[in-house]
Amino acid sequence: MIEIKNLHANIDGREILKGINLTVNKGEVHAIMGPNGSGKSTLAQVIAGREDYEVTQGEILFNGKNLLELSTEARACEGIFLAFQYPVEIPGVSNTTLLKNALNSIRKYRGEEELDAMEFLTLVKKKMSLVELSEDLLRRSVNEGFSGGEKKRNEIFQMAVLQPKLAILDETDSGLDIDALRIVANGVTKLKSPENATIVVTHYQRLLNYIVPDFVHVLYNGKIIKSGDKSLALELEDKGYDWVIEEAAELV
Amino acid sequence: MNEISHLERFTEQDYKYGFVTDIEADEIPKGLSEDVIRLLSSKKAEPEWMLEYRLKAYRAWLKMEEPKWPNVHYPPIDYQEIIYYSAPKQQKKLNSMDEVDPELLKTFNKLGIPLEEQKVFAGVAVDAVFDSVSVATTFKAKLGELGIIFTPFSEAIKEHPELVKKYLSSVVPVTDNYFAALNSAVFSDGSFIYIPKGVRCPMELSTYFRINAKNTGQFERTLIIADEGAYVSYLEGCTAPMRDENQLHAAVVELVALDNAQIKYSTVQNWYAGNKDGLGGIYNFVTKRGICKGINSKISWTQVETGSAITWKYPSCILQGDNSVGEFYSVAVTNNYQQADTGTKMIHLGKNTRSTIVSKGISAGKSNNSYRGLVRIGKNAEGARNFSQCDSLLLSDRCGAHTFPYLEVLNPSAIVEHEATTSKIGEDQIFYLNQRGLSTEDAVNMIVNGYCKEVFKELPMEFAVEAQKLLSVSLEGSVG
């Protein structure tokens, strides 16, 4: 589904990603782990198309299309969804307004009929139960006055409505208590299908108890230095990152 | 840096009202003097007292000086270069809409203001003012059955002189300020509204102002009186052709609300703003003031200001009656080289008077947007309350937003609250919405509309939709 080849990216002239190679296929869940400052969030943002980052080398293919040539909104319409680490507040714009416009913009891009108010409402109600959100959150302004947990659940709710092909969860577990974590993770798990894929960017292993990854990658200093199956996450939890970093250093 | 490049891509405004109507006009020579005023008054066949009023105002104006305190800049205005009266030539007396010059009907149709009664928005009566005169007023007869007077000002002078004499300049004195004095001397037309005791006006009343002729000034006068227990909602819209010269628009609006009466006054101001380099556009120097004369009365101003090269206006409320309420809801948008110095005055005189101010400024391009507001609590205004909220939203790095709140509290029991915020439309917000599949243009519209929501919800339905559209046109291309 997505193929990242030798990806290098800078911000303000400083190189953050130093040659990422990663392939994610339909139906797979990949976890990207690593210590702070290793470039995990940068990778998520570069895939989504944040302009602050300058891609200096490499390419990203998404279902055969050159992603780096597409605008952020075109990437979203192609089926990429980023669940933000820090969801943004938009005062005066209700969740419903945002979602209806977003969904119809994506449908239009794909040459599908726009949903009318009733069809949209039916869809939204169905998806809300996934993340146990209360209905008044729909009418409230996007993320304004939401608790940390509500914001993260709202991200997953938006993902449920927009039904992306590739979902990237950027530190979705940070700031969540154990109940909220379970709700979010269950939502993500229920949305999994053989047709879509998920990249989970996380610091800690605990989210992976709920969202079981097929592959785990360790990102360090802008490169993936080790890949494995879910047992690698448990090993990291147990022993920390130092041994992987040392192991990688010896290989050089 | 991306923020700038995003926001930089604002290009030209699409001003679809910039056309000129080719119609023969009856104009008086440019320049201002007592003779010009006499000529103007005689053209309108005015009674002697009106001419006296004008001459008195003119003499007072000669001794006054143009105000220099607003935070706006423009070259000196040559008052001798302005034409003070221009009217499309048509038959003297119109008996029905069929007799209105088809060119004029066409003009207003093009502006989205059909004057044939069967075609207008259900529930909106329109007075159409073209340059210096009112060319048509719809639903006059129907409103007349309820005792409601909705008529061009020039006719009110002849048909209801007692009411005009009683209330004209009772809220905005002739010498209130430079432009009010000028208006009093030369005002040509506008709307006069009287809602009798206990009558709730069944439709929205509206005036549509159109400047057409070159080098003319538009000086309209509006007077609305809501008698005891009456209610009226009034809408005002304005457009002008695109011209390279600046044109002056100096209006005076007076509102009077008696006991338990309520006046809701909404404006969508879209005068030509000048081109993207700041050439041309209307100087909109307007005095708007209402008095809540009676107990429990209420005056509410809602304005959406997107046009004009320069806007200078402060729709205000004098809260004289006990328990009276004043409200001011404003969205002021400036783009390119536009300048706006706008706000309100809430003068609390009566007991338990309450006022609310919600001002939303939006600045883009190289424009300058100032909020200037006064809240004065008089010494007898026991229990008065005011809440003010002034927000500024910046869309570029070269625009300015300024807030000048003035506060005078002479009664210790008063409660006055003021909140102010300045924010920049965030790259984070735009990226977030882009990532959800929305274009940057749609994202900005969504953010700006959300920001203005509190004001838009105060507008009558059709106007709210119109205002949203206008806002997106005004900011078109200002974020790319």
Side-chain angles (χ1 to χ4, degrees), chain A residues 43-50 71-72 75 80 82 168, chain B residues 431 435:
Chain A
L43 178 61
Q45 304 236 343
V46 169
I47 296 171
R50 180 110 196 187
S71 66
T72 303
R75 295 181 201 196
I80 288 179
L82 174 62
I168 305 165
Chain B
F431 177 63
Q435 212 297 309

Side-chain angles (χ1 to χ4, degrees), chain B residues 230-246:
Chain B
Y231 168 88
V232 62
S233 170
Y234 174 86
L235 321 169
E236 175 195 70
C238 2
T239 57
M242 292 159 76
R243 296 190 190 283
D244 288 349
E245 304 83 24
N246 295 106

Side-chain angles (χ1 to χ4, degrees), chain B residues 117-308:
Chain B
E117 291 191 1
Q118 63 276 21
K119 284 196 202 157
V120 301
F121 287 129
V124 184
V126 182
D127 182 17
V129 177
F130 191 86
D131 289 329
S132 304
V133 293
S134 168
V135 293
T137 309
T138 62
F139 293 109
K140 255 177 94 170
K142 194 175 168 211
L143 293 166
E145 289 166 19
L146 293 166
I148 294 170
I149 304 169
F150 177 44
T151 188
F153 210 102
S154 48
E155 283 178 34
I157 291 169
K158 287 168 216 159
E159 289 163 22
H160 309 280
E162 342 64 50
L163 282 173
V164 175
K165 275 192 215 168
K166 184 170 174 189
Y167 289 108
L168 181 64
S169 294
S170 70
V171 190
V172 179
V174 168
T175 54
D176 185 82
N177 67 70
Y178 188 79
F179 296 109
L182 176 63
N183 174 284
S184 301
V186 302
F187 77 81
S188 40
D189 224 330
S191 299
F192 177 87
I193 296 168
Y194 172 79
I195 314 290
K197 268 184 203 175
V199 172
R200 197 183 159 85
C201 186
M203 53 176 73
E204 309 274 354
L205 302 185
S206 100
T207 307
Y208 194 89
F209 295 101
R210 173 72 177 170
I211 296 179
N212 185 62
K214 209 173 171 174
N215 299 326
T216 56
Q218 194 176 52
F219 304 91
E220 90 263 1
R221 190 91 190 188
T222 300
L223 177 54
I224 303 177
I225 302 140
D227 211 326
E228 291 171 25
Y231 168 88
V232 62
S233 170
Y234 174 86
L235 321 169
E236 175 195 70
C238 2
T239 57
M242 292 159 76
R243 296 190 190 283
D244 288 349
E245 304 83 24
N246 295 106
Q247 278 179 289
L248 179 62
H249 170 256
V252 173
V253 175
E254 297 178 280
L255 312 182
V256 180
L258 302 182
D259 287 356
N260 303 302
Q262 194 180 333
I263 301 174
K264 189 172 165 58
Y265 191 108
S266 313
T267 306
V268 172
Q269 186 264 108
N270 187 24
W271 294 119
Y272 178 52
N275 72 5
K276 67 176 169 37
D277 300 317
L279 188 66
I282 302 292
Y283 292 162
N284 188 36
F285 299 157
V286 169
T287 308
K288 289 183 167 175
R289 194 175 304 155
I291 183 165
C292 286
K293 223 173 158 63
I295 55 162
N296 305 320
S297 55
K298 180 176 175 183
I299 289 178
S300 175
W301 299 99
T302 305
Q303 60 172 19
V304 176
E305 302 279 318
T306 61
S308 297

Side-chain angles (χ1 to χ4, degrees), chain B residues 23-28 43 83 85-89 92 132:
Chain B
I23 192 161
E24 206 184 337
D26 175 16
E27 280 180 357
I28 61 177
K43 278 215 177 278
I83 296 167
Y85 182 86
S86 173
K89 275 189 185 153
K92 268 282 164 246
S132 304

